[in-house]
Amino acid sequence: MSRRSERADETVISVTSAQPGRSEDLESRIARYAWMMSIRIVCFVLAVLTPSPWRWIFLVGAVFLPSVAVVLANARKTTKVDAAASYVPPARPQIGPDSAHDSRSFTGPEVIPDPGPDRDTEK
C-alpha cells in the first residue's frame, strides 16, 4: 500500500472546476467552421441569383468569410468555470496513551518492583 505525501498548503482541485476536454473543444470549433462554410456556400448561390447591388454584397461575404471562419475556428473557447469549495478532509484520530481511555484517568504503566536476587518468586 503506497502512501501519498500530503502538504498542508496544498489545495485539492475539484473535477467540477476543470476546463472542458480538448475533444469537446475541437468538436465545437469544427462545428463553428462548418456553419461558416455553409453560409459561404449560400452567399455564392445568392450572388449568382440576385440582382446587381445585392450580388456584390453576397460576393464580398463569400470571399471574406473563409478568413473570418479560420480565425474563429482557431480561437479556443476559454470559459472560466468557478472553482468549487476546496475539500477539507476530516480530522484523523490520534494514536496515543489516551486513545483507549480518557487522559484524566490514565495513570501510566503499572510498575512491578523487582524482587531482587535473594528472593525466589516461584514457590
Side-chain angles (χ1 to χ4, degrees):
M1 179 160 78
S2 66
R3 285 193 163 203
R4 189 181 76 149
S5 63
E6 297 177 8
R7 288 182 265 169
D9 61 343
E10 182 179 8
T11 59
V12 178
I13 304 298
S14 174
V15 175
T16 57
S17 65
Q19 295 293 326
R22 292 190 72 193
S23 61
E24 185 179 329
D25 183 44
L26 183 63
E27 289 174 4
S28 69
R29 294 186 322 177
I30 289 172
R32 205 175 336 159
Y33 184 77
W35 276 107
M36 296 290 267
M37 290 298 103
S38 301
I39 293 171
R40 181 183 186 211
I41 292 170
V42 170
C43 284
F44 270 129
V45 170
L46 290 175
V48 171
L49 297 178
T50 56
S52 185
W54 289 100
R55 174 177 295 153
W56 298 110
I57 294 172
F58 289 126
L59 193 60
V60 167
V63 168
F64 289 111
L65 243 143
S67 59
V68 173
V70 168
V71 169
L72 290 178
N74 287 334
R76 291 191 174 190
K77 188 186 232 182
T78 55
T79 57
K80 188 67 175 170
V81 179
D82 291 337
S86 296
Y87 173 73
V88 178
R92 295 181 178 173
Q94 299 295 322
I95 299 175
D98 59 346
S99 63
H101 304 288
D102 188 17
S103 64
R104 291 171 289 209
S105 66
F106 182 71
T107 57
E110 183 180 345
V111 179
I112 301 173
D114 185 19
D118 304 357
R119 297 188 179 176
D120 187 17
T121 55
E122 294 181 15
K123 291 184 180 183

